[in-house]
C-alpha cells in the first residue's frame, strides 16, 4: 500500500509537469479500486483529466466505484462519444445502481448512450423491489444448453466470457430457460473435451427467487460458500445471477443496519460523513422521544414513593447504579440473542434453551454483583447494613429480570415478525428500569421499615 | 429448501427399512452443507452410518462442516483404513482448524493417517498466530512459473487442479518463489493457447503478509472484491492463499466480536448455544463489575445534594429519565462512529468533522427533547415551571455532552491503539451519567433556589 501511495504522489508531480503520456502509462498499471480512491480526493480538474486517460475497460470499473456526486460530474463533463464505450463496459447490475441514484437529466444522458437491448434490461431490473435478489442480480451470466459438449461449452464461454460477470459457474437450462443445474469452469477445464455436459453438471442446485430479501441471499451465500447463485422466477426460469463480491457489501450493510437499530436509530444506508445533519437528526429523534416518554413512567413510580425517599434520602443515591447495572445486564443478553438470530445460529424453537441459560447465568452474575455491592456499601461506604442488603437483593432480582427479558424479547419480536434488533439495549433498559424501581422500593420498604 | 427437507425425511424412512443402497444414492445427490446439518441432528448411530456411506470427496467436505464433538466421535469410530482417503481429501487450512481443536489422542490418530508431506505442512501452519493471515491460508494453490505458455498452464492446472482450493486465480512466481503477479483462469481460458503467460499476467498485485491480522485481510477482500488473495513472507515469497469463502466467516466473526464488545462483554468466538454458562458468565461479569463500581460515583454526587433532594423530592423523579436519555443519545453517536471506524469509512483525521457534525445534531435533538419534556411536565404533569425548565435545560446540555463524548471517545480509543468498540453505550452511559447529574443539580439549584 505504501508503494501505491508513492506512485500516486509521482502521478501528481507528473500532472503538474503536464507529462501526460507517462501518467497514462502509470495509471494503466494500477488497481481500479486504488485509482477510484485517488480520484475521489484529487482536485476536480485533475480527476476528470485522469479519468479520461484511463483505458475504457478500466474507466468503466473506476466509474462504478466513485461516489454519486463525482459520477454525476463526470457524466455531465463527458461527450456522448466518450460515454458510449464506457457505459458499454459497465455490468448491468452496476448500471442499475447508478441509474437509480442519479438526477433525471443525467439518467437521460446515460440512457441515450446505451444500446437498446441494455436499456430494456435496465428498465426491467429497475422494477424489482429495493433489497430484493432481483435488484442485486445481473443478467450477464454464462448460460449453457443441455446437450452441449465440454469443447462446445468452453468455446461458448470464450465467446461470451468478456461480457459475463463471472464465468466460473455456468448455468445449464433446458430449451424453455428452466434452470436444470450448474457446472463450474473448474469441472469443465478438468474434464475430457469430447464429453457431453449432461453427465457432468450438478443437478442438485441451490437458487434464490427474484423477490427474496437480500438478507436471505447473503445467508445462502455464507452457508454454502458459493461464488455465485442463480436467481429464478416462480417457474424456476433462470433470470440472472448474483456474485459473491456484491454479497460482501450486503453482509456489511446488514450488519451496519443491525448496529444502528440496536442503538435506537432508524437504519440509514448512506455513510456517516456523507449524510446531512438533518437526516442524521431525523433518524435519531424518533426513538429518543419515544424512549424518553416511556422512561417517564419511572418518574410516576418515584412520585408514589416520595414519602419513603423523603425519610431516607440515602436510598436515592443507589438509583442510578441499580438502573445502569440492570440496563447493562439486559443489553448483554439481548445483544447475544439478536446476533444469534441474525446469523441463524438461534431459532425461535430455542427459546426454552435461552431462558434456562440466561436464568442460570443471571443467578450467578446477579449474586456476584449483589455481594460485591453489599460488602462495598457496608465496609467502604459505611452504610446501614439493612440498606446495603436492600440494594444487594434488588441487584440480584434486577439482573435476573434484565437478563431473562433481554434474552426473550428479541425472540418474541422475531415470532411477531418484527426485527429482533429493536429489542436491544435502549428498549430493554427502559422496560427493566421501570420494573427494577418497583422491586427496589418494595424491598427497601420491607427491609428498612424498622429504620423509619 | 422445502424440497431438501422432504428428501431427508425420506432418507430417515429408508434407514429404518435398512434400504441402504437407496440411501447412499440419495445422499450422493445432496449438497454437503445440507448433509452436515442433517447429520448434526440425527441420532449418533444413524449419523455414523450415513457418514460411512458418503463418497470420499463428499465425506471430507461434510466432515469439515461438523461440530467439534461429532468430528471427535467420527474419528474415534473410524478405522485407519477408512480415515486415510478422507483425510487425504481435506484441504490443509481446514485440517489445521481441526487439529487445533481436537483432543490430543484424536490428533494423534489424525496425524498417523496423514502422509508425511501434509504432516510437515500442518505443523508449519500451526505455528502462525491465531487470527493471522498465516493461520487462515492454505498452501494448496496453483503456482505457475514465468515462461510457461497458456497451453502449458492449462495442462498444469488440469494436473494439480483437483488438489487446489481454487484454480480461478493462479499465481506466477520466479525461480526463487518470489511472487511476480497473478492471472485469472478467465484470462487463460479466453487467451490464445500458444501465447506466453509473461505478457498476460498482472504484474500489479495486492497481497497480505503471513502475520497480518485477519481483520486487515477481510478489509482487503472487501475493498478489492477478489476471490482469493496471495499470502507472502517478508521477502515476498509466495507462501499460500486465502479464499473468499473463508473470509465471509471472518467478516461475520469480526462483526459479532464488535457487537459483543459494544455490549460490554469479552468477545467469544464460540456460538451462544454451544458455550457453557460458566464461560458466558465469566465473559460478562468483568465489565458489569467495573461499570457498577464506576457508576457508584453517581451515588457520591447524590449524597452531596441530599439537602436539595430532601427539600424538593420531586427532583428525584426526573433522574432516571435524564440519565437514560443521555445514555441513549451517547450510544447512538458512538455506535455510528465505531461502525464507521470498523468499515474504514471514518479515519482518525476526521475527528473535527465528527465533532462539528455531532455538535449541531446534538443541538437540534437536545432542543427538541428539552422542549417536549418542558411542555409535557408543565401541561400534562402539572409541575412547577421552574422545575420543568431545569429538567428541559439539563436535557439540552446532557444530550450535547453525550453526543460529543460518544462521537469522540471511539476516535480517541483508536488513537490510543485500543479497540474503539469498548467506547460504546455502556461506558459512554457511565461517563455521561456522572456529568449529567452534576449539571442537573447545578441547574436546579440555580433555577429553583426561590422555591426552597
Amino acid at each position: 500500500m505504501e508503494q501505491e501511495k508513492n506512485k500516486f504522489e509521482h502521478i501528481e508531480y507528473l500532472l503538474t509537469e503536464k507529462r501526460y503520456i507517462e501518467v497514462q502509462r502509470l495509471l494503466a498499471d494500477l488497481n481500479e479500486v486504488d485509482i477510484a480512491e485517488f480520484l475521489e480526493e484529487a482536485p476536480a480538474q485533475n480527476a476528470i483529466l485522469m479519468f479520461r486517460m484511463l483505458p475504457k475497460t478500466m474507466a468503466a470499473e473506476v466509474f462504478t466505484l466513485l461516489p454519486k456526486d463525482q459520477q454525476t460530474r463526470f457524466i455531465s463533463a463527458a461527450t456522448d462519444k466518450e460515454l458510449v464505450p464506457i457505459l458499454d463496459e459497465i455490468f448491468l447490475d452496476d448500471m442499475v445502481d447508478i441509474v437509480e441514484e442519479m438526477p433525471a437529466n443525467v439518467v437521460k444522458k446515460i440512457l441515450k448512450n446505451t444500446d437498446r437491448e441494455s436499456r430494456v434490461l435496465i428498465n426491467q431490473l429497475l422494477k424489482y423491489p429495493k433489497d430484493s435478489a432481483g435488484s442485486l442480480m445481473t443478467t450477464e451470466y454464462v448460460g449453457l444448453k443441455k446437450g452441449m459438449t465440454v469443447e462446445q461449452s468452453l468455446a461458448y464461454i470464450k465467446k461470451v466470457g468478456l461480457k459475463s460477470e463471472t464465468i466460473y459457474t455456468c448455468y445449464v437450462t433446458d430449451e424453455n430457460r428452466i434452470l436444470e443445474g450448474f457446472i463450474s469452469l473448474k469441472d469443465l477445464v478438468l474434464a475430457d473435451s469430447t464429453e457431453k455436459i449432461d453427465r457432468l453438471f450438478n443437478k442438485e442446485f441451490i437458487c434464490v427467487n427474484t423477490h427474496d430479501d437480500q438478507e436471505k441471499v447473503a445467508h445462502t451465500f455464507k452457508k454454502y460458500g458459493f461464488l455465485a447463485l442463480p436467481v429464478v422466477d416462480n417457474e424456476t426460469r433462470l433470470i440472472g445471477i448474483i456474485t459473491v463480491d456484491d454479497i460482501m457489501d450486503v453482509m456489511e450493510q446488514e450488519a451496519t443496519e443491525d448496529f444502528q437499530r440496536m442503538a435506537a436509530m432508524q437504519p440509514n444506508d448512506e455513510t456517516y460523513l456523507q449524510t446531512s445533519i438533518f437526516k442524521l437528526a431525523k433518524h435519531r429523534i424518533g426513538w429518543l422521544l419515544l424512549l424518553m416518554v416511556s422512561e417517564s413512567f419511572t418518574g410516576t413510580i418515584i412520585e408514589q414513593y416520595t414519602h419513603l425517599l423523603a425519610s431516607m434520602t440515602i436510598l436515592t443515591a443507589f438509583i442510578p447504579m441499580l438502573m445502569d447495572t440492570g440496563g447493562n445486564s439486559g443489553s448483554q443478553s439481548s445483544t447475544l440473542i439478536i446476533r444469534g438470530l441474525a446469523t441463524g445460529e438461534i431459532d425461535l424453537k430455542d427459546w426454552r434453551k435461552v431462558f434456562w441459560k440466561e436464568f442460570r447465568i443471571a443467578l450467578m452474575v446477579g449474586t456476584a454483583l449483589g455481594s460485591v455491592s453489599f460488602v462495598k456499601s457496608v465496609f467502604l461506604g459505611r452504610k446501614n447494613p439493612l440498606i446495603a442488603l436492600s440494594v444487594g437483593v434488588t441487584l440480584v432480582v434486577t439482573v435476573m429480570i434484565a437478563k431473562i427479558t433481554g434474552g426473550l424479547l428479541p425472540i418474541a419480536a422475531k415470532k411477531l415478525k418484527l426485527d429482533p434488533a429493536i429489542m436491544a439495549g435502549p428498549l430493554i433498559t427502559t422496560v427493566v428500569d421501570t420494573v427494577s424501581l418497583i422491586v427496589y422500593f418494595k424491598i427497601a420498604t420491607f427491609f428498612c421499615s424498622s429504620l423509619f
Side-chain angles (χ1 to χ4, degrees), chain A:
Chain A
M1 314 275 156
E2 215 31 57
Q3 213 184 347
E4 255 72 55
K5 217 181 138 194
N6 293 338
K7 272 184 202 151
F8 282 118
E9 273 169 17
H10 187 53
I11 290 179
E12 273 174 348
Y13 162 77
L14 291 174
L15 276 177
T16 55
E17 297 276 305
K18 301 203 192 305
R19 286 153 68 177
Y20 297 139
I21 310 281
E22 286 165 78
V23 172
Q24 191 160 25
R25 210 166 41 218
L26 277 175
L27 282 174
D29 268 349
L30 288 163
N31 184 292
E32 288 86 348
V33 179
D34 294 316
I35 297 177
E37 238 178 33
F38 180 61
L39 292 191
E40 214 181 307
E41 295 188 359
Q45 277 314 310
N46 278 356
I48 294 192
L49 195 62
M50 284 186 283
F51 183 71
R52 285 186 162 148
M53 289 179 189
L54 294 172
K56 292 304 162 239
T57 42
M58 282 177 80
E61 198 178 331
V62 168
F63 184 78
T64 58
L65 295 165
L66 292 171
K68 240 187 329 191
D69 49 335
Q70 211 162 15
Q71 288 179 335
T72 316
R73 241 179 296 132
F74 280 13
I75 293 187
S76 311
T79 64
D80 289 356
K81 213 182 124 200
E82 281 177 310
L83 222 46
V84 173
I86 295 174
L87 292 176
D88 203 43
E89 289 287 339
I90 296 179
F91 285 117
L92 277 180
D93 53 345
D94 295 324
M95 198 71 156
V96 171
D97 291 342
I98 293 167
V99 167
E100 259 175 339
E101 295 187 340
M102 293 280 131
N105 60 328
V106 178
V107 171
K108 215 168 141 189
K109 189 163 178 185
I110 292 177
L111 292 180
K112 198 183 98 190
N113 291 297
T114 314
D115 59 81
R116 208 187 148 274
E117 196 190 350
S118 307
R119 224 160 36 226
V120 172
L121 286 169
I122 291 171
N123 279 321
Q124 273 172 10
L125 290 177
L126 279 171
K127 284 190 197 118
Y128 291 104
K130 192 171 169 295
D131 298 346
S132 71
S135 76
L136 279 175
M137 72 182 180
T138 179
T139 51
E140 293 150 317
Y141 54 84
V142 178
L144 303 174
K145 289 265 178 286
K146 269 204 304 187
M148 286 169 97
T149 64
V150 170
E151 198 172 2
Q152 285 171 329
S153 304
L154 286 172
Y156 179 71
I157 293 171
K158 252 187 175 159
K159 209 177 77 189
V160 301
L162 277 178
K163 278 302 283 178
S164 300
E165 176 108 26
T166 182
I167 64 168
Y168 298 137
T169 316
C170 307
Y171 298 92
V172 185
T173 57
D174 70 4
E175 59 282 5
N176 297 318
R177 269 181 50 223
I178 305 285
L179 182 60
E180 298 235 327
F182 66 96
I183 182 164
S184 66
L185 182 60
K186 183 170 174 173
D187 290 340
L188 282 173
V189 167
L190 298 178
D192 185 7
S193 61
T194 57
E195 197 158 0
K196 284 241 160 112
I197 58 168
D198 300 34
R199 281 196 46 232
L200 295 169
F201 79 84
N202 298 279
K203 277 104 196 162
E204 290 287 326
F205 55 86
I206 312 284
C207 59
V208 291
N209 189 285
T210 44
H211 283 85
D212 282 343
D213 187 79
Q214 62 175 8
E215 197 166 359
K216 191 188 158 189
V217 179
H219 270 161
T220 312
F221 263 99
K222 224 201 62 65
K223 183 173 169 190
Y224 295 101
F226 291 137
L227 298 180
L229 259 184
V231 185
V232 299
D233 64 11
N234 292 334
E235 280 81 43
T236 61
R237 271 192 303 254
L238 181 61
I239 307 293
I241 60 164
I242 299 175
T243 48
V244 68
D245 50 319
D246 293 325
I247 283 304
M248 291 179 79
D249 295 335
V250 171
M251 283 176 65
E252 192 171 280
Q253 194 189 323
E254 292 287 333
T256 299
E257 278 182 18
D258 273 357
F259 276 110
Q260 293 174 343
R261 270 198 211 97
M262 288 169 72
M265 285 173 278
Q266 274 178 54
N268 174 14
D269 55 11
E270 286 174 61
T271 56
Y272 175 79
L273 292 176
Q274 288 190 359
T275 314
S276 75
I277 54 164
F278 299 101
K279 194 163 179 189
L280 283 172
K282 205 184 86 190
H283 283 180
R284 296 183 191 184
I285 189 89
W287 271 104
L288 284 183
L289 263 177
L290 183 72
L291 292 169
M292 185 181 84
V293 172
S294 316
E295 187 72 22
S296 53
F297 279 114
T298 56
T300 320
I301 298 165
I302 291 176
E303 283 183 64
Q304 284 166 12
Y305 284 89
T306 12
H307 59 283
L308 178 71
L309 292 175
S311 58
M312 294 182 68
T313 42
I314 187 67
L315 286 178
T316 312
F318 292 98
I319 291 178
M321 183 276 281
L322 284 171
M323 312 199 83
D324 195 52
T325 307
N328 289 337
S329 308
S331 302
Q332 289 183 331
S333 309
S334 69
T335 299
L336 288 182
I337 304 306
I338 291 168
R339 187 64 186 156
L341 289 167
T343 60
E345 184 228 335
I346 298 172
D347 222 339
L348 286 185
K349 66 171 169 26
D350 295 319
W351 74 268
R352 267 173 238 268
K353 284 189 211 165
V354 170
F355 173 83
W356 181 225
K357 253 190 141 106
E358 289 302 317
F359 179 85
R360 288 173 297 162
I361 296 170
L363 197 62
M364 284 195 280
V365 172
T367 312
L369 292 177
S371 313
V372 170
S373 158
F374 177 80
V375 172
K376 183 172 168 289
S377 300
V378 173
F379 294 98
L380 290 175
R382 304 194 174 281
K383 298 283 182 304
N384 182 304
L386 284 176
I387 292 175
L389 187 64
S390 308
V391 174
V393 174
T394 305
L395 263 175
V396 182
V397 179
T398 303
V399 170
M400 306 244 358
I401 295 171
K403 287 212 166 287
I404 292 169
T405 317
L408 295 184
L409 277 190
I411 302 183
K414 176 138 194 183
K415 175 83 190 165
L416 297 170
K417 307 232 182 281
L418 296 169
D419 190 325
I422 58 169
M423 297 296 181
L427 198 68
I428 301 285
T429 303
T430 307
V431 174
V432 171
D433 278 358
T434 314
V435 180
S436 64
L437 261 187
I438 300 176
V439 172
Y440 181 44
F441 290 139
K442 294 263 182 229
I443 290 178
T445 315
F446 178 77
F447 280 129
C448 307
S449 51
S450 62
L451 302 177
F452 294 148

